[in-house]
Each structure stands twice: as structure tokens, then as C-alpha cells.
């Protein structure tokens, strides 16, 4: 389960931030695309140094909290449902 979560974070984070990092401009659909790079240095810094680590901490905390509420404790197996 943890590998699936890590894979999801790793494959979803950069494309989502790249698409959401650009602010919409007036009439953007009425003119040809701009000739510039989609990702620049400031966006990469924001992705790897700010938003990425914050998302990892939040998601892993939620994951561990759900396990904890289900009866799991560090060093033990997950309790059987039944």
C-alpha cells in the first residue's frame, strides 16, 4: 500500500504543479500559444522545496493517522479485519 501511495505522489506531483502553476491571462484561448518554457527555475524550486515536501508530510501523516485509528502500532502487524 505504501508503494502505491509513493508511486501516486511521484507521478502526480510534477504534472499537477506544472499545469496549475501558470496564472491564466486575459483572452488566452483567443491567441496562439506563447513561445516560452512551461517550467522555469522558480516553479521547480516551489515544487521541490515547498509544495512537494508539504504534500508528502500531509499525505503521510493522514496515512499513518488512519492506520493508527484502525489499531495499528509501530512494530506490529496491521490488525486483521473480521
Amino acid at each position: 500500500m505504501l508503494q502505491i501511495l509513493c508511486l501516486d505522489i511521484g507521478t502526480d506531483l510534477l504534472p499537477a504543479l506544472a499545469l496549475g502553476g501558470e496564472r491564466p491571462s486575459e483572452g488566452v484561448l483567443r491567441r496562439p500559444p506563447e513561445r516560452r518554457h512551461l517550467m522555469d527555475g522558480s516553479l521547480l524550486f516551489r515544487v521541490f522545496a515547498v509544495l512537494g515536501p508539504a504534500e508528502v508530510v500531509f499525505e503521510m501523516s493522514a496515512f499513518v493517522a488512519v492506520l493508527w485509528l484502525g489499531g495499528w502500532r509501530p512494530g506490529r502487524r496491521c490488525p486483521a479485519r473480521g
Side-chain angles (χ1 to χ4, degrees):
M1 187 71 177
L2 187 58
Q3 289 101 352
I4 293 172
L5 181 61
C6 289
L7 180 66
D8 180 48
I9 291 171
T11 58
D12 184 45
L13 183 65
L14 285 176
L17 289 174
L19 290 172
E22 186 175 359
R23 296 176 192 247
S25 57
E26 188 71 30
V28 70
L29 296 177
R30 294 186 194 105
R31 61 177 186 266
E34 296 178 16
R35 296 282 183 204
R36 62 181 180 89
H37 295 289
L38 181 60
M39 297 179 70
D40 58 4
S42 65
L43 179 64
L44 288 175
F45 175 78
R46 217 172 82 206
V47 166
F48 288 112
V50 180
L51 299 175
E55 183 178 348
V56 168
V57 167
F58 179 75
E59 288 184 10
M60 292 306 296
S61 299
F63 181 73
V64 171
V66 168
L67 287 177
W68 188 273
L69 292 172
W72 173 81
R73 299 296 179 262
R76 292 191 198 163
R77 291 180 160 262
C78 287
R81 297 296 243 188

